[in-house]
């Protein structure tokens, strides 16, 4: 006789909570992955006239020992010139150089020369605002 009884529908909420938590974790991981160039701990030089620049397409990190890194890859000056020259939209590409405060002027000029050789004219220097 139980087969003839009308069963009342139930909504199980536990599986729905599991799915929502899974989606939340998924979207958080994707969002974190979308943040470009999260940065490397370095001591940027300070400037009292620093201003906000538009978000750069390319960030070149210049270390105190003269090493160059972009997109997590260590490069030489020639490799950097080649990589920048292969950019599809060089005329509108913006490069920001984030150098350590103790890097030499010669290393900075070498990176800037590499940008110019590659045809990139929008070059900015990252700095902390002096307090």
């Amino acid at each position: 006789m139980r087969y003839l009884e009308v069963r009342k529908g139930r909504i199980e909420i536990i599986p729905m909570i599991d799915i929502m938590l899974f989606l939340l974790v998924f979207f958080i991981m994707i969002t974190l992955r979308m943040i470009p160039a999260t940065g490397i701990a370095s001591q940027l030089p300070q400037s009292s006239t620093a201003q906000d620049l538009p978000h750069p397409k390319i960030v070149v990190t210049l270390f105190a020992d003269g090493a160059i890194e972009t997109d997590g890859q260590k490069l030489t000056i020639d490799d950097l010139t080649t990589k920048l020259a292969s950019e599809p939209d060089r005329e509108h590409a913006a490069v920001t150089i984030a150098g350590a405060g103790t890097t030499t002027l010669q290393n900075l000029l070498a990176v800037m020369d590499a940008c110019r050789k590659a045809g990139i004219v929008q070059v900015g220097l990252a700095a902390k605002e002096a307090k």
Side-chain angles (χ1 to χ4, degrees):
M1 287 301 209
R2 282 196 157 174
Y3 296 113
L4 299 176
E5 288 181 11
V6 178
R7 289 183 139 186
K8 197 173 191 182
R10 287 181 21 184
I11 297 176
E12 294 290 333
I13 196 162
I14 303 284
M16 188 169 56
I17 291 173
D18 290 343
I19 290 172
M20 295 306 287
L21 286 175
F22 174 76
L23 288 174
L24 178 67
V25 169
F26 176 76
F27 285 123
I28 288 173
M29 295 302 288
I30 292 298
T31 303
L32 291 176
R33 191 72 183 137
M34 291 173 56
I35 299 173
T38 55
I40 296 171
S42 65
Q43 301 217 346
L44 293 174
Q46 294 184 355
S47 171
S48 61
T49 60
Q51 62 185 17
D52 288 336
L53 294 175
H55 187 69
K57 185 173 182 181
I58 304 162
V59 177
V60 177
T61 306
L62 181 60
F63 296 99
D65 62 353
I68 300 167
E69 184 176 286
T70 183
D71 295 332
Q73 297 176 341
K74 297 254 183 191
L75 301 171
T76 64
I77 291 291
D78 295 330
D79 293 339
L80 179 64
T81 304
T82 305
K83 180 177 174 99
L84 294 176
S86 68
E87 284 294 317
D89 191 19
R90 286 191 309 258
E91 295 81 26
H92 298 99
V95 173
T96 297
I97 302 170
T102 57
T103 190
T104 64
L105 184 58
Q106 185 60 47
N107 292 337
L108 176 63
L109 287 176
V111 172
M112 291 177 81
D113 284 342
C115 294
R116 286 185 136 184
K117 285 179 188 175
I120 295 178
V121 294
Q122 295 181 22
V123 178
L125 297 175
K128 288 192 300 187
E129 193 170 351
K131 294 180 182 180

